[in-house]
Amino acid sequence: MEKILKDSVRAGVIGHPIAHSKSPIIHGYWLQKYGIAGEYLRYDIAPQDLKSGVARLVELGLRGFNVTLPHKESILELCASQSELAQKIGAANTITIDDSGRLHADSTDGFGFLQNMAAHVPNLVWHNKTIMILGAGGAARAIVGALMTCGAAQIILVNRTFDKAAALGAEFNRKFAQGSEMIPAEIIPVKIIPAPWTAILEFLPRCDVVINTTSLGMRGQAALEINLDPLPAHAMVSDIVYAPLETELLKQARRRHVTAVTGIGMLLHQARPGFARWFGIEPAVTPELEALVLS
Ligand code: ATR
């Protein structure tokens, strides 16, 4: 199989399907902007071919790759090492391949979420906040995982299927216990309180932040029906859905003069650590890049 020249760095994204992935647009923009001789391609790998497909990428000389559905969990079995966050979340989206062809897994979705919030909200402070998370799926795991170490007071984890919220809450409360490597002794870990969907109205008056991690409100999906009226005026609302960019949830927040944070930035910021590791430059998220990805 063809081995690439040493001076042209190669990376990519794996998934199934993969045609919809915006990652090549993001990394392609940065490669061009920083004048790097490299490429970033999509690789469609079916679940049953994951091991051989990844072996082929190693053979091709890739420095690493991003991982999207349905491989975010199963990729961990092929990795020689995992960041503590990836291990705790049980999923990875960013893989680095070392000179010996060994894979190292990391999860940067939560980083992307935090960076996007910080970019939109000047002087953002998580300390002592009460955060409502809607959803308990893969996206919620990454975001809650990142928030466990931010010093917030509590996370109200609301899910249609209450048992899933209860299970995730119990799992993370145990995994992120005080004194573990990710929680310095002086930080009190965030406490997760699972709640059923029907309890949203009851909890909203004491929430400082509301984050939608479900696909509700996405173009072509069911609407996210929630009444933000009880939310305090100082609150922030964030949506991981970015198609449409202004979701009904965010429109409702803006009508109430509550800070609203769009979801596209999470996608852009989660890509930064991978690009920096593979191509050696810390890339910037710019309005131009955002417009390009949304177009
Ligand atoms: P992802 O990896 O994108 O988070 P997922 O793991 O399938 O996707 O999780 C989807 C989330 O959206 C879940 O929390 C799901 O709730 P359930 O656990 O009850 O399935 C939530 N979700 C999907 N459709 C929903 C709907 N119509 N109403 C409320 N929640 C919904």
Side-chain angles (χ1 to χ4, degrees):
M1 210 171 282
E2 175 208 1
K3 275 266 186 190
I4 57 156
L5 293 173
K6 272 217 151 27
D7 59 356
S8 174
V9 181
R10 210 177 244 195
V13 57
I14 69 167
H16 186 72
I18 196 61
H20 65 282
S21 172
K22 306 260 191 209
S23 293
I25 300 172
I26 301 170
H27 290 271
Y29 168 85
W30 284 331
L31 286 172
Q32 196 178 23
K33 178 174 171 148
Y34 298 112
I36 297 172
E39 66 170 31
Y40 182 103
L41 300 176
R42 295 181 178 90
Y43 296 93
D44 194 325
I45 300 179
Q48 65 274 18
D49 300 330
L50 184 61
K51 194 170 178 187
S52 59
V54 166
R56 187 173 64 90
L57 301 187
V58 173
E59 177 66 25
L60 282 169
L62 267 72
R63 288 269 177 87
F65 52 91
N66 287 120
V67 184
T68 188
L69 301 180
H71 304 311
K72 284 188 169 191
E73 287 111 40
S74 44
I75 192 68
L76 291 180
E77 291 163 28
L78 303 178
C79 293
S81 68
Q82 308 171 14
S83 70
E84 192 168 344
L85 187 58
Q87 199 182 351
K88 283 190 157 72
I89 291 170
N93 70 332
T94 303
I95 307 296
T96 308
I97 304 173
D98 70 17
D99 292 342
S100 309
R102 281 184 309 233
L103 273 54
H104 303 275
D106 197 5
S107 170
T108 69
D109 286 328
F111 167 85
F113 171 80
L114 293 176
Q115 290 288 312
N116 184 43
M117 289 296 290
H120 279 84
V121 183
N123 307 317
L124 174 66
V125 175
W126 291 105
H127 191 70
N128 268 339
K129 294 275 191 293
T130 292
I131 304 166
M132 178 180 284
I133 303 274
L134 304 173
R141 289 181 79 86
I143 290 173
V144 173
L147 287 170
M148 293 302 287
T149 54
C150 76
Q154 55 185 359
I155 290 174
I156 315 292
L157 185 63
V158 179
N159 199 42
R160 174 180 60 177
T161 310
F162 172 75
D163 288 355
K164 231 167 113 181
L168 179 56
E171 179 190 333
F172 275 20
N173 282 335
R174 177 172 46 79
K175 282 185 175 171
F176 290 85
Q178 197 168 20
S180 81
E181 224 175 285
M182 293 196 62
I183 311 272
E186 67 276 14
I187 289 188
I188 298 168
V190 180
K191 183 154 178 49
I192 303 178
I193 298 167
W197 201 260
T198 47
I200 291 177
L201 276 182
E202 178 193 322
F203 278 108
L204 276 179
R206 55 176 137 130
C207 289
D208 304 294
V209 188
V210 175
I211 304 162
N212 175 40
T213 75
T214 75
S215 53
L216 294 175
M218 191 187 290
R219 207 167 280 138
Q221 302 281 331
L224 172 54
E225 283 171 16
I226 175 174
N227 177 3
L228 294 178
D229 281 351
L231 202 57
H234 70 265
M236 297 179 276
V237 177
S238 169
D239 203 332
I240 68 160
V241 171
Y242 59 84
L245 189 62
E246 285 294 321
T247 60
E248 288 303 321
L249 177 74
L250 297 181
K251 281 184 189 166
Q252 196 189 150
R254 289 191 209 281
R255 276 198 300 273
R256 294 213 50 232
H257 306 291
V258 162
T259 303
V261 179
T262 56
I264 187 68
M266 176 175 165
L267 175 73
L268 306 178
H269 284 282
Q270 64 76 31
R272 285 171 41 207
F275 189 88
R277 285 168 207 165
W278 308 320
F279 299 112
I281 284 183
E282 291 282 349
V285 168
T286 61
E288 187 188 28
L289 174 61
E290 179 173 321
L292 180 70
V293 172
L294 288 172
S295 68

